[in-house]
Each structure stands twice: as C-alpha cells, then as structure tokens.
Amino acid sequence: NAGVMQNPRHLVRRRGQEARLRCSPMKGHSHVYWYRQLPEEGLKFMVYLQKENIIDESGMPKERFSAEFPKEGPSILRIQQVVRGDSAAYFCASSRLAADTQYFGPGTRLTVL
Amino acid sequence: QQQVKQSPQSLIVQKGGIPIINCAYENTAFDYFPWYQQFPGKGPALLIAIRPDVSEKKEGRFTISFNKSAKQFSLHIMDSQPGDSATYFCAASRSGSARQLTFGSGTQLTVLP
C-alpha cells in the first residue's frame, strides 16, 4: 500500500509566479489535510478537505491560496503570485476517516526567489 | 488557547540515555495527543499517541506520560540509539468532524554513539 505521495518534491518559483502542489492520499483515504512548515518551526494547519468539499480552511491565508480535492485525481494546493514569505515545506496528510490517524507525505519544498 | 508548547528546543544524550521531551497545552477540549518523528527531508511519521483516559502508554522503547490535571504530556525514549536522532513533534487535536492537528515547535534530538 503506497503511502501519501506529493509532487513535486522541490519547487522553485520567482516572485509573482504560481505554485501548484499535488497530493495523492493513501489508497482508501478520502480525507486530506495540508500543513505548512517554516524553517525551524512546527507544522501549521492550513486546510482540510474531503472529496470535492473544503471542510475547514481556517488556517489558510484568505488571499492567493486555494485548495481543491476533486472527485478524480490528487488534491491540489495552489498559491498565486508567490512571495518570498511563501518559502516553506508544505506537507499533505491523509486519513481514512475524519478521526483516524493522519499519515504524512514527504512534503514539497517551495523556494521563492 | 490553541497553542501547544514544547520543550526543550534541542537535546543531546549519549547512547543508552533516556531523553525526555515535554509538551503543555491550554485547550481542555483536546483529547488526542500524538507524537511524530521527522528525519531531515522527510515528512513526519506517527510514533505513538495517547488519549486522556490513560496516564501512560508504551510502544517498544517509546513511552508517553500524560497528566490531565496539569495539561502536560511527555515522550520518553528508553535505551536511545543514534538512529533515534531526529526532530520530534508533539501535537494535539479534539474530537469533531475535523481533526486538525496543533503541533508543538519541535525538539531536535541528537543521540551520540
């Protein structure tokens, strides 16, 4: 059973470009969570999605950030018009049920030049 | 009220020692307390988790102690090995439809051979 997959593993963008991060949950998991980790800090919750629905986006900045988890395909975290402060590691986690253990992917390390 | 405070920030022990990492929380609605281990360049991996109805849980060399009245919990690593060198994060969440995890700031553990 493959684990949570994220791609790309590393992403470099210039200020003002768009970043698109993908997350494929574990097989049988329909709950996806996105977290952001700044250097030397813990992970901060951003958004929680189920298939085709955003359940909780309380941790996501109101502007430039959006997330989706379509019926088919991976969950996508989109950052428009990136700024240097967006440089971080973005982790996706998935769970089978809402109350189950969250399993994390290897992360996408975004660098904004 | 959503914070989880973790200490120490870094810890160095000799092989065979028993490092102890402490966490304190404020939100009394939290009812699930996992510990995650993270190696450089990797995503967090669940080590062990506890719920407030027990005061201690052991899994292999890892033990969680939980003090509900003090709102504190700690991770003990018995007979630590150089391979345990990693960053450890405590986290907390509460029941409900969304189990967003609130993470501590992390402890960088180094086990010397």
Side-chain angles (χ1 to χ4, degrees), chain A residues 77-90:
Chain A
L77 179 67
R78 185 181 291 109
I79 311 172
Q80 296 177 306
Q81 299 176 327
V82 296
V83 300
R84 289 219 173 101
D86 297 333
S87 295
Y90 292 82

Side-chain angles (χ1 to χ4, degrees), chain B residues 6-85:
Chain B
Q6 183 172 347
S7 63
Q9 186 174 359
S10 63
L11 188 55
I12 300 174
V13 299
Q14 292 289 141
K15 177 182 174 182
I18 305 176
I20 300 172
I21 304 171
N22 301 297
C23 285
Y25 62 98
E26 299 170 358
N27 189 343
T28 55
F30 285 149
D31 61 358
Y32 175 70
F33 303 91
W35 284 89
Y36 283 84
Q37 179 189 56
Q38 185 179 31
F39 293 104
K42 306 291 185 184
L46 178 68
L47 261 182
I48 184 173
I50 197 169
R51 298 184 189 277
D53 51 343
V54 296
S55 60
E56 185 175 279
K57 183 174 181 180
K58 288 184 180 181
E59 283 187 7
R61 295 185 293 109
F62 301 95
T63 300
I64 299 181
S65 297
F66 186 83
N67 185 330
K68 188 175 181 178
S69 61
K71 293 186 286 185
Q72 295 176 346
F73 57 110
S74 59
L75 176 70
H76 302 230
I77 305 176
M78 306 301 175
D79 187 27
S80 58
Q81 302 296 314
D84 296 330
S85 298

Side-chain angles (χ1 to χ4, degrees), chain A residues 18-89:
Chain A
E18 178 179 286
R20 191 173 293 201
L21 289 61
R22 294 175 184 78
C23 168
S24 296
M26 288 177 68
K27 187 177 181 181
H29 288 196
S30 59
H31 301 257
V32 166
Y33 303 78
W34 285 93
Y35 293 84
R36 177 165 63 177
Q37 185 177 33
L38 295 172
E40 309 300 325
E41 292 188 14
L43 285 79
K44 297 287 194 290
F45 168 79
M46 298 181 73
V47 61
Y48 162 46
L49 311 100
Q50 293 181 34
K51 283 285 187 181
E52 300 184 275
N53 289 301
I54 296 175
I55 306 302
D56 181 355
E57 56 183 346
S58 59
M60 199 154 69
K62 294 289 186 285
E63 297 181 356
R64 302 188 298 108
F65 286 73
S66 63
E68 63 178 16
F69 189 15
K71 186 177 180 181
E72 300 291 337
S75 175
I76 295 176
L77 179 67
R78 185 181 291 109
I79 311 172
Q80 296 177 306
Q81 299 176 327
V82 296
V83 300
R84 289 219 173 101
D86 297 333
S87 295

